[in-house]
Amino acid sequence: MGLEEKLPSGFLLTTVEQVAGWARKSSLWPATFGLACCAIEMMAAGDPRHDFSRWGMERASGSPRQADLMIVAGRVSQKMAPVLRQVYDQMSEPKWVIAMGVCASSGGMFNNYAIVQGVDHIVPVDIYLPGCPPRPEMLLDAILKLHDKIQNTKLGAQREKQVQELERAKLRQLPLLGQSGARS
C-alpha cells in the first residue's frame, strides 16, 4: 500500500540521482587504451556479434577530453605509465577505468622491471577483468557491472565523500614503497 498504488497510470516516480545514473550509464564514451593482445579482444567486442552500441558505447573516443571510460587492455610498460596517467588526467569527470586482462590487472606473467605490476598503481581501477586474453563476452559483462556501479553512484557532496572513502580504502590495500615491511 504505497504511493505507487494511489497514483493514476502513467506517472513515473524516481529521484534525480537515479535519472542522472541512468543517463551516465547509457552514454559511456570509452577511451580505448589497447597495449597488447587484449586489445584485439576489446576490438572484437565492438563488432556486430557483440556490439558495444547496445549500451550507448558505439563512439570510441580518440580524445580523452571526450571520454569518461578508460579500458586499459594489456600490459603497461614503465615507459607507457606516464602517458596512461596523462590520458587519465585529461578525461572529464566523472571517469571510470576497466583493467582488461591479467597483465593490466596484476602484471600477468611479466614479473620484471619493465612492466607495471597492475595498472592500479597508476590510475584508480573500478573493474578488474581477469583472463589471458579475456573474451569479448567477459568485457561486456564487466561493462554491465560498471553500469550497475554508475547507476548507484551518489551525486554532489555525497559523491565526494563516497569517492574519498573508496580511495582511502584502496590506498590501505596497496603495498606502497616506504611503508614498513616493504623492500627498498
Side-chain angles (χ1 to χ4, degrees):
M1 289 300 246
L3 179 64
E4 299 87 10
E5 295 172 3
K6 296 189 187 313
L7 290 174
S9 65
F11 275 87
L12 179 67
L13 298 176
T14 189
T15 64
V16 173
E17 281 185 346
Q18 288 177 335
V19 170
W22 175 81
R24 283 181 177 165
K25 81 171 190 169
S26 300
S27 63
L28 283 178
W29 286 1
T32 56
F33 209 86
L35 299 167
C37 44
C38 290
I40 303 300
E41 298 296 323
M42 179 178 58
M43 288 182 246
D47 71 7
R49 181 176 180 188
H50 301 99
D51 197 13
F52 269 160
S53 60
R54 285 184 278 176
W55 295 282
M57 295 179 56
E58 65 271 3
R59 188 193 176 282
S61 180
S63 169
R65 289 176 180 87
Q66 298 171 352
D68 50 7
L69 168 64
M70 176 185 278
I71 302 173
V72 182
R75 60 189 176 270
V76 179
S77 66
Q78 295 289 351
K79 285 186 175 184
M80 189 56 75
V83 176
L84 178 76
R85 183 62 199 204
Q86 181 180 14
V87 169
Y88 177 80
D89 289 339
Q90 290 175 352
M91 290 171 58
S92 60
E93 288 286 343
K95 50 191 165 188
W96 298 277
V97 177
I98 294 177
M100 182 177 176
V102 71
C103 293
S105 298
S106 66
M109 65 196 93
F110 304 102
N111 189 10
N112 61 35
Y113 66 91
I115 303 297
V116 175
Q117 299 301 305
V119 74
D120 56 356
H121 291 280
I122 305 162
V123 295
V125 175
D126 296 294
I127 303 284
Y128 294 92
L129 178 57
C132 184
R135 299 276 308 140
E137 294 88 357
M138 295 172 68
L139 177 58
L140 295 178
D141 183 58
I143 289 168
L144 291 177
K145 287 180 176 147
L146 183 63
H147 280 187
D148 291 340
K149 185 175 184 175
I150 293 168
Q151 177 75 45
N152 299 318
T153 300
K154 303 282 185 200
L155 292 178
Q158 291 86 8
R159 176 173 163 67
E160 293 293 325
K161 183 179 175 186
Q162 184 182 32
V163 167
Q164 288 173 356
E165 288 173 3
L166 288 171
E167 285 179 356
R168 274 190 239 116
K170 289 281 186 183
L171 284 176
R172 283 192 295 268
Q173 294 173 354
L174 285 179
L176 301 174
L177 294 175
Q179 289 182 343
S180 60
R183 287 188 252 173
S184 302

